[in-house]
Amino acid sequence: MPYDFKKEQKELYQPKTAPALVHVPKMNYLAVRGKGDPNDPDGEYARSIPLLYGVAYTLKMSPKAGHAIDGFFDYTVPPLEGFWWQPGLAGVDYANKAGFQFLSLLRLPDFVTRADFDWAVESATAKKKMDLSPVEFFPYDEGLCVQCMHLGPYDAEPQTAAKMHDFMRRQGYALDITDARYHHEIYLSDPRKCDPARLKTVLRHPVRPADG
């Protein structure tokens, strides 16, 4: 059976609906940067997603293409993720979707190196006839965060975030969203196929000691 990150690393992908602290290790991602309302069907966010998957599936299928990756094992492509921020704002203004900047992300298995990434971009560009130059190899060490499973539509996220922040303060931590630490979402449901009331999204916010 292919390795499934969601099942094997439940502490990162299957949190409870009650907030909890989690230390997120350094990971490598495929990433595409952009800005604007994520709900715009013709916006930069919507255009970023096929670019990510074009490279991700090229890496997943690399053995069939004759590209040997040291330590490779079969795996399920991890769920889509996103880092979101708004310049000049130490937090998130959910009402100002047009002001968002983002990194659209897919996690990479640890065995994928930058050289493997470069091969995949070149190979997928030639095969799919797409400009994949916006896709980056993006290492990121997220560190200590508060996280929670959000159930329901994306527009209801502020209620879940409020629970997270209340928990964080009671545990002696402060919100640490900066220009280098982000509001983080992991999308476990496909909004094209799922009733909005049943959407499952991991929400994660970086924290620091309140007296730090």
Side-chain angles (χ1 to χ4, degrees):
M1 293 289 290
Y3 184 91
D4 189 332
F5 290 88
K6 298 191 303 299
K7 295 179 180 178
E8 302 295 335
Q9 300 184 15
K10 292 183 178 180
E11 72 280 7
L12 299 177
Y13 296 99
Q14 300 290 338
K16 306 294 186 182
T17 54
L21 294 169
V22 62
H23 189 277
V24 185
K26 184 177 180 179
M27 303 178 192
N28 296 326
Y29 296 89
L30 300 173
V32 175
R33 298 175 186 269
K35 59 185 177 180
D37 186 342
N39 295 327
D40 180 354
D42 299 315
E44 293 183 19
Y45 179 72
R47 296 198 298 270
S48 74
I49 295 173
L51 303 182
L52 292 174
Y53 281 106
V55 179
Y57 277 97
T58 299
L59 287 164
K60 175 178 168 58
M61 304 304 294
S62 57
K64 293 186 177 181
H67 180 79
I69 298 179
D70 188 35
F72 182 94
F73 54 80
D74 192 17
Y75 63 96
T76 300
V77 172
L80 184 68
E81 309 185 34
F83 292 157
W84 300 89
W85 70 96
Q86 291 155 321
L89 184 64
V92 180
D93 179 0
Y94 291 90
N96 181 23
K97 292 183 175 63
F100 272 122
Q101 296 191 18
F102 66 82
L103 280 160
S104 190
L105 305 163
L106 284 174
R107 182 181 174 181
L108 291 170
D110 291 343
F111 55 71
V112 174
T113 67
R114 190 178 294 270
D116 297 318
F117 163 80
D118 290 340
W119 166 83
V121 171
E122 181 179 358
S123 177
T125 297
K127 184 175 181 179
K128 299 178 183 296
K129 310 301 182 185
M130 297 171 63
D131 178 12
L132 296 169
S133 61
V135 184
E136 303 175 27
F137 184 87
F138 184 73
Y140 190 73
D141 190 352
E142 196 165 8
L144 185 64
C145 298
V146 60
Q147 71 177 10
C148 188
M149 182 70 78
H150 171 70
L151 302 177
Y154 301 130
D155 285 344
E157 286 182 9
Q159 293 94 308
T160 299
K163 288 196 308 181
M164 292 163 55
H165 296 170
D166 181 62
F167 169 84
M168 164 192 75
R169 288 188 289 267
R170 286 188 280 108
Q171 297 297 314
Y173 292 93
L175 187 66
D176 196 30
I177 291 179
T178 68
D179 59 359
R181 303 190 77 197
Y182 313 109
H183 169 85
H184 188 174
E185 301 183 1
I186 303 175
Y187 308 106
L188 303 180
S189 307
D190 186 339
R192 300 169 300 177
K193 303 175 182 177
C194 184
D195 183 332
R198 300 176 65 86
L199 289 171
K200 299 176 72 173
T201 308
V202 179
L203 296 187
R204 190 179 292 161
H205 281 173
V207 299
R208 58 174 173 77
D211 56 359

